């Protein structure tokens, strides 16, 4: 079985990986270990995890993983709200195709970390975009039939879930919180994604699907 260390942005992503993504990848011979990004390390040991405010935090969490020469490394971080000092991020914010901009930023991260088993992934535009893959699941989860139409409207306006935009009040999580006032990201988010399922998320989100295909393929590699 191939080992995969996955640096995740916070608790919501960690729960999703443990409950939904890791079991799926295990079926392809890939064992996933989620690792929540360090926000602050304390001199006496331990520290704080979750969230990211600068590039050094990301590097300090990623570089120790590269010392595990038997494992592959990937990330599950949001493109929306990346720290301004992440190499290539300012260029990625310029007008253009969002998918090309995020893949360009991922390529820049490959160059920065310079590790042959590193597969960076930034959710386009945000982890919560995947919740929009099934409007009826959202409506049923919150027992509110009106939510299905609101979710459909958001998807139609953007074109697809991953293209729901990068604005302060219109990024996916902000839209969910505005639609469903009680939305809790660490419980509702991963639960909804589990109900929607990996196959449906992959079918609706090409950027996610491309990453998932690469991770699934690791289980078939002869050199790991």
């Amino acid at each position: 079985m191939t080992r995969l260390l996955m640096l995740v942005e916070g608790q919501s992503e960690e729960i999703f990986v443990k409950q939904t993504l890791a079991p799926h990848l295990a079926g392809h011979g890939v064992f996933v270990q989620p690792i929540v990004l360090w926000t602050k390390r304390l001199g006496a040991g331990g520290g704080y995890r979750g969230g990211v405010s600068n590039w050094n935090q990301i590097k300090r969490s990623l570089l120790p993983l590269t010392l595990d020469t038997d494992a592959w490394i990937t990330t599950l971080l949001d493109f929306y709200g990346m720290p301004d000092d992440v190499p290539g991020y300012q260029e990625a914010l310029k007008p253009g195709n969002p998918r090309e901009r995020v893949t360009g930023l991922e390529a820049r991260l490959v160059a920065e970390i310079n590790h042959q088993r590193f597969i960076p992934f930034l959710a386009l535009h945000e982890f919560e975009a995947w919740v929009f893959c099934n409007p009826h699941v959202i409506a049923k989860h919150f027992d509110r039939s009106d939510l299905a139409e609101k979710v459909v409207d958001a998807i139609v306006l953007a074109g697809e879930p991953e293209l729901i935009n990068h604005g302060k009040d219109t990024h996916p999580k902000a839209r969910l919180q505005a639609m469903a006032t009680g939305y809790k990201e660490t419980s509702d988010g991963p639960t909804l994604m589990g109900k929607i399922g990996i196959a449906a998320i992959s079918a609706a989100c090409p950027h996610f699907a491309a990453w998932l295909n690469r991770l699934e393929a690791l289980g078939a590699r002869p050199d790991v």
Side-chain angles (χ1 to χ4, degrees), residues 129-208:
W130 305 338
V131 172
F132 285 79
C133 292
N134 192 320
H136 301 291
V137 168
I138 297 178
K140 186 175 181 180
H141 176 81
F142 289 104
D143 194 24
R144 280 183 49 195
S145 58
D146 63 303
L147 285 181
E149 185 176 353
K150 292 181 178 181
V151 171
V152 169
D153 288 345
I155 296 169
V156 169
L157 186 64
E160 57 187 67
E162 285 184 322
L163 299 184
I164 293 174
N165 68 28
H166 209 278
K168 180 181 177 182
D169 300 315
T170 53
H171 62 91
K173 183 162 61 179
R175 287 179 187 257
L176 284 168
Q177 290 170 334
M179 289 177 190
T181 13
Y183 173 80
K184 297 181 179 63
E185 57 183 293
T186 56
S187 54
D188 292 319
T191 298
L192 282 163
M193 291 177 200
K195 291 177 178 179
I196 292 166
I198 292 294
I201 294 172
S202 185
C205 300
H207 187 57
F208 172 85

Side-chain angles (χ1 to χ4, degrees), residues 98-114:
R99 197 159 284 115
E100 291 176 359
R101 289 189 285 124
V102 76
T103 55
L105 180 54
E106 289 168 349
R108 181 68 182 271
L109 297 182
V110 168
E112 291 291 331
I113 299 301
N114 191 27

